[in-house]
Amino acid sequence: MGVSLRDVALLAGVSVKTVSNVVNGYAHVSPATRAKVERALSQLDYRPNLSARNLRLGRTGVIALALPELDAPYFAELSRFVIDAAAEQRWLVVIEQTDGSLERERQVLDGVRDHRVDGVILSPVSIGAEELAARTDDAALVLLGERIYDGPADHVAIDNVRAARDVTEHLIGLGRRRIAALGAQDNSISGTAPLRLAGYAEAMAARGLPQTIAEVDSYRRAEGAAAMARLLAAPETPDAVFCFNDLLALGAMRTILAAGLRVPEDIALAGLDDIEDGRYSTPTLTTVAPDKAQLARIAVDLLRARLDGRTAGPPREVRADYRLVVRESTAGRVPTR
Amino acid sequence: MGVSLRDVALLAGVSVKTVSNVVNGYAHVSPATRAKVERALSQLDYRPNLSARNLRLGRTGVIALALPELDAPYFAELSRFVIDAAAEQRWLVVIEQTDGSLERERQVLDGVRDHRVDGVILSPVSIGAEELAARTDDAALVLLGERIYDGPADHVAIDNVRAARDVTEHLIGLGRRRIAALGAQDNSISGTAPLRLAGYAEAMAARGLPQTIAEVDSYRRAEGAAAMARLLAAPETPDAVFCFNDLLALGAMRTILAAGLRVPEDIALAGLDDIEDGRYSTPTLTTVAPDKAQLARIAVDLLRARLDGRTAGPPREVRADYRLVVRESTAGRVPTR
DNA sequence: CAACGTTGTTCCAACGTTGTAAACCGTCCT
DNA sequence: AGGACGGTTTACAACGTTGGAACAACGTTG
């Protein structure tokens, strides 16, 4: 193997523990010894063996970030912030892709008991609140995203209902009246869709406007494109569409433009997530921008607090900020009829 | 801590080593003992402590995937495949973002000596072949991407020169003559740009066509948009642009469309990477699609071979497949003038 | 029936680290 | 001079695991 404390101690002519003390910055080491040890350390280019340290300390210095899929831009962008925030705590991040499968979400949680990771930041899709509550292990767990509110673990997310209402009101404010919601989900498993739908419904009901709802199986471009095609095929076509995420919106945009219609003149379009793609599409996409850096930081901080044992109380709910970003896809005001 | 072999041994009334033998599937254990131990194992729900196992075995079961940035779609998509391929080897993947900085690339390599990871798959940007060759540690290392060929470590990539030539020839085949290359880089540090530029230059020179080259600082949409604006401002505007990656192409597309020009009628556009965005842009984007799953699998296999010590020989160079995907942005043939 | 090999199980040591307790040493006080 | 004290250093044990040697039990063989 590599160079161990023992090798350094031998060279410096001190005990192993003294070297350990120097390495860990223990206070009471005489300047002379410290210098001697440090010379030996750099001479041998000592690196602590983290497996050994972890065994001794019962920590791994690694946390897991479990996401449905890394190649959805929203999650990729979020991951970046989580990795950066974790790096500040000197944590490494292993990324696990669950594909939303229950089995894989369970496996991730088991990872804590395997001592592979100290804690988990999970963006849950399939696993239920009851199952999470029933966990016997004392794994540090932070839930990220919209799936489970007031559940059995610390949780951070934006206020989805309010965000969806804001978007819908923005579309109404443009003078649009036939506003469709695109992204509802049949299976009530996913928690995101109902919340965003609720926000849409609230805003529409407040103005007494009719609601049109298009369902999807997943939150990917292809689904957005297909759902939009269905909306266009209906007798009464919408003059605005609120898509429950940006990928759906970009797929929908593709369908609208391919049909020879204009965005926003014929159909205004808004999404949610603020992925980079939407900043460079033609037209650029109006969206809700969650503060992803803040989301990531809060998630990491919650985890840190649990691991340090500073917080032992009940699960904490934290709301992250967001803002509405108006771009070309909803530009210009159409006079109210 | 959790349940240890000792606890299981106590319950089963056997020695610790016997339990270990059962856990590891050692051959010579009597059926009676095995049954007894297995009952105790499941009764206590034993999970091996991987820190301890790693310390004993000198392995961590974790590999690092070091990329410039995770939120570039190409890298996000690639990561997904690497994680999946690694999972088949029962490896976890920690993702490190280097931002292309030399310092961070070094840190990643140091991670191996810290016993944090067994090996590294690195997509290098700044680090030089000489420095890699000079490494004293025997870390398992696989280079991924175009940066360093015939270098000091196993390497997998597509044939960039040939891919770039293919794209350029495709544009020429459309009847275009004023074909610009977008994505050259001033600093000769990055290895990708020169290779793609070489492929472009080869194809153009073979037909005796004039070469127009636009430089960028990074491979992101904003740079593509800005570089395209410069091309449009020149006296002779191109009738086709080969962008060195899809993000640049999508940025360029945005500029072209915003200027009131049409793609592909006025300017044909091609990229390279085959990120999902390009499959849903309007128009959809012609591109080179590297076989990302194959790239990932080869990288993981190379690493596995090194770690198993099966391969001790000189660095291996492997080429991954790619194919040209023609979409709307280069559709239709314009008669040769 | 003694020597032997085979099979099953246990004991011991070691991986490299750090917490605890104890030992060491010089200084100051009584 | 003897003791107490504080800073500095060390010996030891332990974290949980596995390889190898040792050992016990048992059937086979000469």
Side-chain angles (χ1 to χ4, degrees):
Chain A
M1 283 194 139
V3 176
S4 75
L5 285 181
R6 202 164 147 276
D7 303 321
V8 178
L10 242 47
L11 178 61
V14 297
S15 77
V16 168
K17 188 66 215 290
T18 298
V19 181
S20 170
N21 286 338
V22 171
V23 169
N24 293 297
Y26 179 69
H28 303 297
V29 179
S30 73
T33 327
R34 165 158 280 137
K36 207 166 46 176
V37 170
E38 270 167 357
R39 198 160 40 237
L41 280 172
S42 71
Q43 188 172 330
L44 296 177
D45 196 17
Y46 168 80
R47 297 312 186 89
N49 179 318
L50 296 184
S51 284
R53 179 178 282 174
N54 293 340
L55 171 60
R56 183 62 236 245
L57 299 178
R59 302 260 193 74
T60 69
V62 179
I63 63 171
L65 173 62
L67 304 168
E69 49 193 357
L70 189 52
D71 48 353
Y74 174 73
F75 288 120
E77 294 179 14
L78 191 59
S79 298
R80 154 159 223 145
F81 289 114
V82 170
I83 291 175
D84 289 345
E88 284 175 26
Q89 311 275 356
R90 323 192 111 245
W91 281 337
L92 282 184
V93 178
V94 309
I95 296 193
E96 312 237 29
Q97 297 180 101
T98 62
D99 288 315
S101 108
L102 179 56
E103 189 193 352
R104 303 202 54 181
E105 292 183 342
R106 285 185 179 139
Q107 276 172 12
V108 171
L109 293 177
D110 281 352
V112 180
R113 318 225 333 277
D114 289 352
H115 305 268
R116 294 183 93 101
V117 297
D118 294 335
V120 176
I121 297 177
L122 172 66
S123 179
V125 174
S126 299
I127 204 163
E130 317 70 39
E131 177 164 355
L132 286 175
R135 282 177 313 133
T136 55
D137 53 76
D138 53 348
L141 172 65
V142 173
L143 299 175
L144 181 61
E146 307 77 8
R147 175 71 179 82
I148 298 171
Y149 284 93
D150 301 316
D154 292 339
H155 175 230
V156 55
I158 64 166
D159 185 334
N160 271 274
V161 177
R162 195 157 61 84
R165 205 177 52 215
D166 289 355
V167 175
T168 311
E169 283 171 359
H170 164 65
L171 294 172
I172 295 171
L174 295 174
R176 311 286 168 143
R177 290 301 175 261
R178 303 190 309 282
I179 304 172
L182 193 164
Q185 301 219 287
D186 195 11
N187 56 25
S188 58
I189 291 181
S190 165
T192 310
L195 297 170
R196 295 184 184 173
L197 188 57
Y200 162 79
E202 263 182 39
M204 295 298 277
R207 294 299 203 92
L209 295 172
Q211 299 176 26
T212 309
I213 295 162
E215 295 190 342
V216 297
D217 286 335
S218 76
Y219 272 30
R220 306 197 66 111
R221 285 183 179 84
E223 283 286 312
M228 191 67 226
R230 292 198 302 276
L231 285 176
L232 290 182
E236 171 116 339
T237 59
D239 60 5
V241 181
F242 165 37
C243 301
F244 288 1
N245 83 351
D246 282 0
L247 283 183
L248 289 173
L250 291 170
M253 184 185 291
R254 166 78 194 149
T255 298
I256 296 171
L257 297 176
L261 298 170
R262 294 161 304 162
V263 177
E265 292 83 351
D266 298 313
I267 303 181
L269 204 52
L272 195 155
D273 275 352
D274 188 34
I275 62 178
E276 210 205 35
D277 318 44
R279 298 203 275 276
Y280 287 88
S281 58
T282 305
T284 53
L285 183 67
T286 291
T287 193
V288 167
D291 188 334
K292 302 191 189 87
Q294 191 189 34
L295 276 168
R297 173 164 307 280
I298 292 173
V300 168
D301 286 349
L302 286 173
L303 203 53
R304 160 109 273 160
R306 289 288 171 188
L307 285 173
D308 287 355
R310 288 199 310 263
T311 331
R316 292 196 284 166
E317 282 288 328
V318 185
R319 287 284 160 278
D321 298 329
Y322 68 88
R323 56 181 227 286
L324 181 67
V325 181
V326 178
R327 300 207 187 94
E328 293 166 359
S329 70
T330 65
R333 194 186 146 74
V334 171
T336 311
R337 274 179 260 177
Chain B
M1 281 192 140
V3 176
S4 75
L5 285 181
R6 202 164 148 276
D7 303 320
V8 179
L10 241 47
L11 178 61
V14 298
S15 78
V16 167
K17 187 64 211 294
T18 298
V19 180
S20 169
N21 286 338
V22 171
V23 169
N24 293 295
Y26 179 69
H28 302 297
V29 179
S30 72
T33 331
R34 165 157 281 137
K36 208 166 44 176
V37 170
E38 269 165 359
R39 198 162 39 236
L41 280 172
S42 71
Q43 190 172 330
L44 296 177
D45 195 18
Y46 168 79
R47 297 314 186 87
N49 180 318
L50 295 184
S51 285
R53 179 178 282 175
N54 293 339
L55 171 60
R56 183 62 236 246
L57 299 178
R59 301 258 193 74
T60 69
V62 178
I63 63 171
L65 172 62
L67 304 167
E69 49 193 358
L70 188 52
D71 48 353
Y74 174 73
F75 288 121
E77 294 179 13
L78 191 59
S79 298
R80 156 161 219 143
F81 288 114
V82 170
I83 291 175
D84 288 345
E88 284 175 27
Q89 311 274 356
R90 323 193 111 244
W91 281 338
L92 282 183
V93 178
V94 308
I95 296 192
E96 311 237 30
Q97 297 180 103
T98 63
D99 288 314
S101 108
L102 179 56
E103 190 193 351
R104 301 200 57 178
E105 291 183 342
R106 284 186 180 138
Q107 275 172 13
V108 171
L109 292 177
D110 282 353
V112 180
R113 317 224 336 277
D114 289 351
H115 305 268
R116 294 184 92 102
V117 297
D118 295 334
V120 176
I121 297 177
L122 171 66
S123 179
V125 174
S126 299
I127 205 163
E130 318 69 40
E131 177 164 354
L132 286 174
R135 282 178 313 132
T136 55
D137 53 77
D138 53 349
L141 172 65
V142 173
L143 299 176
L144 180 62
E146 308 78 7
R147 175 71 179 81
I148 297 171
Y149 284 94
D150 301 317
D154 292 339
H155 175 229
V156 54
I158 64 167
D159 186 335
N160 270 274
V161 177
R162 194 156 63 83
R165 205 177 53 215
D166 289 354
V167 174
T168 311
E169 283 170 358
H170 164 66
L171 294 172
I172 294 172
L174 295 174
R176 310 287 168 144
R177 291 299 175 261
R178 303 190 309 280
I179 304 172
L182 193 164
Q185 301 220 287
D186 194 11
N187 56 26
S188 58
I189 291 182
S190 165
T192 310
L195 297 170
R196 296 184 184 172
L197 188 57
Y200 162 80
E202 265 183 36
M204 296 298 277
R207 294 300 203 91
L209 295 173
Q211 300 176 25
T212 309
I213 294 162
E215 296 190 342
V216 297
D217 286 335
S218 75
Y219 273 30
R220 306 197 66 112
R221 285 184 179 83
E223 284 287 313
M228 191 66 226
R230 292 198 301 276
L231 285 175
L232 290 181
E236 171 117 340
T237 60
D239 60 6
V241 181
F242 165 37
C243 300
F244 288 2
N245 83 351
D246 282 0
L247 283 183
L248 290 173
L250 291 171
M253 184 185 291
R254 165 77 194 150
T255 298
I256 297 171
L257 297 177
L261 297 170
R262 294 161 305 162
V263 177
E265 291 83 352
D266 298 313
I267 303 182
L269 204 53
L272 196 156
D273 274 353
D274 188 35
I275 61 177
E276 210 205 36
D277 318 43
R279 298 203 276 276
Y280 287 88
S281 58
T282 304
T284 54
L285 183 68
T286 292
T287 192
V288 167
D291 188 333
K292 301 191 190 84
Q294 191 189 32
L295 276 168
R297 174 164 306 279
I298 292 172
V300 168
D301 286 349
L302 287 173
L303 203 53
R304 159 110 273 160
R306 289 288 170 189
L307 285 174
D308 287 355
R310 287 200 309 263
T311 330
R316 291 196 285 166
E317 281 288 328
V318 184
R319 287 284 160 277
D321 298 330
Y322 68 88
R323 55 181 228 285
L324 181 68
V325 181
V326 177
R327 300 207 187 95
E328 294 166 0
S329 70
T330 65
R333 198 186 145 73
V334 171
T336 311
R337 273 178 262 180

